[in-house]
Amino acid sequence: MSLKQQIDTDIKNAMKAKNKEELQALRSIKSMILLAESEKGAEENLSQDAEMKLLMKAAKQRKESAETYKSNGRDELANAELLELEIIERYLPKQMSEEELSEKLKEIIQKVGASGPQDMGKVMGVATKELAGKADGKMISQLVKQILTS
């Protein structure tokens, strides 16, 4: 079942359950998918990779918005963003722990033959492709920098 079909099914279930917050978040995800499909040059149905990129982008936006709202004392808006983030994360693959990510990055560094901070670009190129959807880009960058400088 594609992400779009899954979202449609979940929207129907949320409507039946009269869950307004979940319904709003699901509709937001569906609108992002429809916008991506209607972009010039886009395929009629998005690839699984494109769907994951969309969800990752949406999750990142929700996190940043929640942080902004919290820092400005708008807890009710921050909580709404965090609820949407929680719903978006249901459709994302399980995120790797820091230990798992560190091990995987060490393998990538060895495979690429990186020896120091000057090789960070090579490592990041491979790491972001291999770990797309499984780890946050910021976390990947921090760990690569940490591993290469030690």
Side-chain angles (χ1 to χ4, degrees), residues 102-118:
S102 184
E103 288 303 310
K104 186 70 176 161
L105 288 173
K106 286 176 184 173
E107 289 173 24
I108 292 171
I109 288 170
Q110 201 169 32
K111 182 170 67 174
V112 173
S115 58
Q118 70 276 10

Side-chain angles (χ1 to χ4, degrees), residues 54-116:
L54 264 179
L55 288 175
M56 293 290 288
K57 181 180 177 185
K60 184 178 179 184
Q61 287 173 340
R62 299 306 180 281
K63 275 183 200 169
E64 290 172 355
S65 295
E67 288 170 11
T68 303
Y69 288 139
K70 262 197 166 64
S71 68
N72 290 323
R74 301 294 307 266
D75 290 335
E76 71 284 350
L77 293 173
N79 291 337
E81 291 292 329
L82 291 173
L83 178 69
E84 281 195 34
L85 174 63
E86 193 177 299
I87 293 167
I88 290 168
E89 286 177 340
R90 289 183 202 165
Y91 303 100
L92 287 170
K94 183 182 172 287
Q95 297 289 297
M96 296 175 88
S97 71
E98 196 169 328
E99 294 80 32
E100 293 171 324
L101 182 58
S102 184
E103 288 303 310
K104 186 70 176 161
L105 288 173
K106 286 176 184 173
E107 289 173 24
I108 292 171
I109 288 170
Q110 201 169 32
K111 182 170 67 174
V112 173
S115 58

Side-chain angles (χ1 to χ4, degrees), residues 125-136:
V126 174
T128 50
K129 282 182 186 156
E130 283 190 27
L131 303 171
K134 297 176 187 169
D136 180 49

